[in-house]
Amino acid sequence: MSEKNIVVIPGDGIGEEITSAAVRILNKIASKSNITLTFEKHLAGGAAIDAYGVPLPDSTIKAAKNADAVLLGAVGGPKWDSVPPEIRAEKAILGLRKELGLYANLRPIKVSEALIEFSPLKAAAISGVDILLVRELNGGIYYGAKNEAAMVNGVEQASDLEIYSAPEVRRIVTLACQAAKLRRNQVVSVDKANVLASSRLWRKVANETAKTFADVSLSHLYVDNCAMQLILAPKQFDVIVTNNLFGDILSDEAAVLTGSIGMLPSASIGDGTGLYEPIHGSAPDIAGLGLANPVGTILSAAMLLRYSLGAEQAANQIEQAVEQVLVEGYRTADLYKHGSTKVTTEEMAGLIEGKL
Ligand code: NAD
């Protein structure tokens, strides 16, 4: 494999600690396989506001566009809460999604056997859950025409338009089917086709698209039923694909099934550079104290290897190393309980590195 350039954006709060941990793991896995990685650090969020007066400097956008992948910590914090809304730190994430044309958000929901007690579900229901939720990120009601609240016939009224085109549905369902081929070949498409015209188009195009994947089976669920099934029987799911609005809600519902926010990775994918980040924020309350759990970011680095560099084996090795360290009872402060061994952010990274 040729040399791959990774842009690292630590961001704010615990961002520096968790991205350093993930880079350490990427360096180790690269030294063990035929992958050559170079890293370039860039600013975004509050750190960029301090340095450049904007949350997403042009230099960061340019570097991200030219990179093979971007690894991001998290942005924002109380220091920048009172800046004008147009330069809020969190705008950096929306800006990167737009600039990189990221149309799919991938969230794996996998429960470590060692951490089952943290789930709000019973152990029997949650054990073995391994879901990939694929959310359309660039279309739908968040981007459709809006009518802000106004008086119509003497009544205050507002509206948002849910709009999808066939090509938008086709590309996200294609991506879900491709992802399913790396997993258990099952895709559930989630819509509200009994009520919404946009969902009926979604379902028709999903059926047409899945036919081109001989090994992949596609089924459909209404979003209300899917929300129930995620709690009642989450093990039934392999890949779930859905629109922007339903995905926003279902991905947070699915995330709490694991009970541990510091553990969950995500990927945002488009036609160019992919963006990889943990699902949590910048945790300013624990920044700089060695308390941050780096696993969500380390597993995001594994997704980077899988989806941007095609290095499936290296990704699997990182995921197995994380699981081994957890099974051995090592925990960062957020997951510490009597009987386990408490470790710092750096110690956790070192233990995972040691398994590779
Ligand atoms: P948060 O996710 O940062 O923190 C919520 C709680 O979880 C805190 O108690 C925190 O200490 C804990 N936590 C989060 N990640 C952890 C980790 N890796 N290890 C251990 N504990 C962890 O959410 P918040 O407090 O609502 O937001 C803080 C800042 O982050 C805000 O400025 C918010 O806008 C920003 N934010 C950024 C992103 C992003 O960059 N994608 C996402 C969400 C929030």
Side-chain angles (χ1 to χ4, degrees), residues 4-238:
K4 299 291 179 188
N5 175 28
I6 312 297
V7 159
V8 179
I9 304 178
D12 308 310
I14 59 172
E16 183 64 50
E17 300 159 72
I18 55 177
T19 50
S20 296
V23 167
R24 187 169 164 184
I25 301 304
L26 283 171
N27 271 323
K28 180 68 188 272
I29 201 84
S31 73
K32 292 266 156 187
S33 33
N34 65 340
I35 308 171
T36 308
L37 299 177
T38 57
F39 298 93
E40 225 183 275
K41 216 186 250 193
H42 286 271
L43 298 183
I49 295 173
D50 288 350
Y52 301 102
V54 289
L56 186 59
D58 289 343
S59 51
T60 301
I61 296 172
K62 193 169 166 219
K65 282 186 173 169
N66 289 330
D68 290 293
V70 176
L71 181 71
L72 181 111
V75 298
K79 184 178 172 198
W80 304 281
D81 276 352
S82 52
V83 301
E86 62 279 10
I87 60 156
R88 271 195 73 88
E90 292 77 6
K91 289 243 167 187
I93 306 279
L94 297 176
L96 276 170
R97 281 182 187 168
K98 186 166 160 271
E99 291 290 342
L100 297 177
L102 304 172
Y103 61 80
N105 184 248
L106 274 57
R107 277 215 202 166
I109 310 293
K110 189 168 180 178
V111 182
S112 161
E113 289 299 314
L115 298 179
I116 277 179
E117 61 183 310
F118 289 91
S119 171
L121 297 191
K122 292 192 184 98
I126 196 73
S127 173
V129 165
D130 181 2
I131 304 170
L132 180 69
L133 204 145
V134 179
R135 166 187 170 195
E136 201 289 327
L137 207 54
N138 243 354
I141 199 162
Y142 293 173
Y143 292 91
K146 294 182 189 316
N147 285 314
E148 294 299 332
M151 297 304 281
V152 178
N153 298 329
V155 181
E156 201 174 16
Q157 179 175 294
S159 67
D160 304 271
L161 185 67
E162 166 80 352
I163 179 162
Y164 270 107
S165 68
E168 282 175 314
V169 180
R170 200 170 297 122
R171 71 178 177 182
I172 191 80
V173 175
T174 298
L175 194 143
C177 291
Q178 284 165 345
K181 286 182 71 167
L182 291 175
R183 298 167 50 92
R184 302 189 300 281
N185 291 312
Q186 287 168 35
V187 177
V188 173
S189 171
V190 174
D191 61 37
K192 191 73 184 163
N194 48 345
V195 184
L196 300 177
S198 53
S199 279
R200 286 190 280 277
L201 175 74
W202 180 284
R203 192 174 279 218
K204 176 171 106 50
V205 177
N207 280 329
E208 288 164 8
T209 307
K211 274 196 197 128
T212 61
F213 290 85
D215 312 338
V216 175
S217 81
L218 175 79
S219 56
H220 304 274
L221 272 186
Y222 296 137
V223 62
D224 41 349
N225 190 11
C226 182
M228 279 198 299
Q229 295 301 325
L230 276 170
I231 304 294
L232 290 172
K235 254 179 273 191
Q236 70 185 284
F237 294 109
D238 177 15

Side-chain angles (χ1 to χ4, degrees), residues 244-318:
N244 203 344
L245 173 66
F246 298 158
D248 193 1
I249 299 164
L250 293 177
S251 60
D252 273 12
E253 183 194 358
V256 298
L257 298 181
T258 68
S260 41
I261 189 174
M263 298 286 302
L264 293 177
S266 80
S268 298
I269 293 182
D271 293 323
T273 316
L275 173 74
Y276 300 84
E277 55 175 329
I279 71 155
H280 57 74
S282 62
D285 52 331
I286 56 167
L289 302 176
L291 297 175
N293 186 343
V295 169
T297 319
I298 290 170
L299 293 176
S300 300
M303 292 187 83
L304 181 158
L305 289 165
R306 174 173 292 124
Y307 294 110
S308 279
L309 307 192
E312 177 69 19
Q313 201 187 348
N316 287 336
Q317 283 169 2
I318 293 177

